[in-house]
Amino acid sequence: MPPQRPRGLRQPPPSPAPGSSPGPRSSEAPVPPTAPLGPSSPLPSQGRRRPGGARASSGGSGSGARAGRSGRRARGASATVSPGPRLPNPRLTGLGSGLFCAVAMFLLGCLDQLLFGASPAVYGVLFLPVCVLTALWVRGGDVLSAPVVLPIAFAVGLLPVAEGGGGLLGRLMGLVTGLATQAGWLYGGTLLAAAIVLVRRVRWVRERQRRG
């Protein structure tokens, strides 16, 4: 009968045999192998934060919005402002300018006779704007014809205004008398048209030289 061991005493573990490797203890659980820690992979570009990035994006969007608002305001202002009426600016030839001023003066002479009783002063005043329009509306190549056709138009328009006896001879005598008494208006309107024509002629020659 084997001898009994006293209670309370722990038997020491048996010593390993010589030449044998010590095995793991039964009381300790084996530790699982862990993967080696490699170099940390770089974060994607979307995950990185740049200092001031949010401010830059907000500033760009704000400037774009302000530019869009200013553009809409400018377009709205240009749409609300309507262009004013433009004055007629025809270009007449030498013959056309002569016909224009002759017809205009004849109609003004008839109007003077009907409304003012053939007043030579009213006729002379009405002759001045016709001279200005003729000098402005004739084209650049025919500006020198304006001072030539204006005296002829003055004489044509003076026929309804001139006073004279009956018949053709009486009308001619009244026309000569009217030209003699209203020479001031005739010379004044012709000189005014000549000054305008001279300025336009100089500008026209300079433009031709620049183009050449």
Side-chain angles (χ1 to χ4, degrees), residues 11-135:
Q11 185 178 2
S15 59
S20 63
S21 61
R25 295 180 181 182
S26 60
S27 60
E28 297 179 358
V31 179
T34 57
L37 298 177
S40 60
S41 59
L43 295 176
S45 59
Q46 291 82 359
R48 296 182 182 179
R49 293 183 180 179
R50 296 180 180 180
R55 294 181 181 178
S57 61
S58 62
S61 61
S63 61
R66 286 194 297 269
R69 287 195 296 268
S70 62
R72 288 193 295 270
R73 290 176 184 174
R75 288 193 295 269
S78 62
T80 54
V81 178
S82 58
R86 295 183 178 180
L87 296 176
N89 189 21
R91 283 292 175 259
L92 303 175
T93 61
L95 180 60
S97 61
L99 293 176
F100 163 74
C101 58
V103 173
M105 291 309 302
F106 183 79
L107 294 178
L108 291 177
C110 295
L111 186 64
D112 183 20
Q113 184 183 13
L114 293 175
L115 299 180
F116 301 100
S119 173
V122 175
Y123 179 79
V125 172
L126 295 175
F127 177 66
L128 298 180
V130 174
C131 295
V132 174
L133 292 178
T134 304

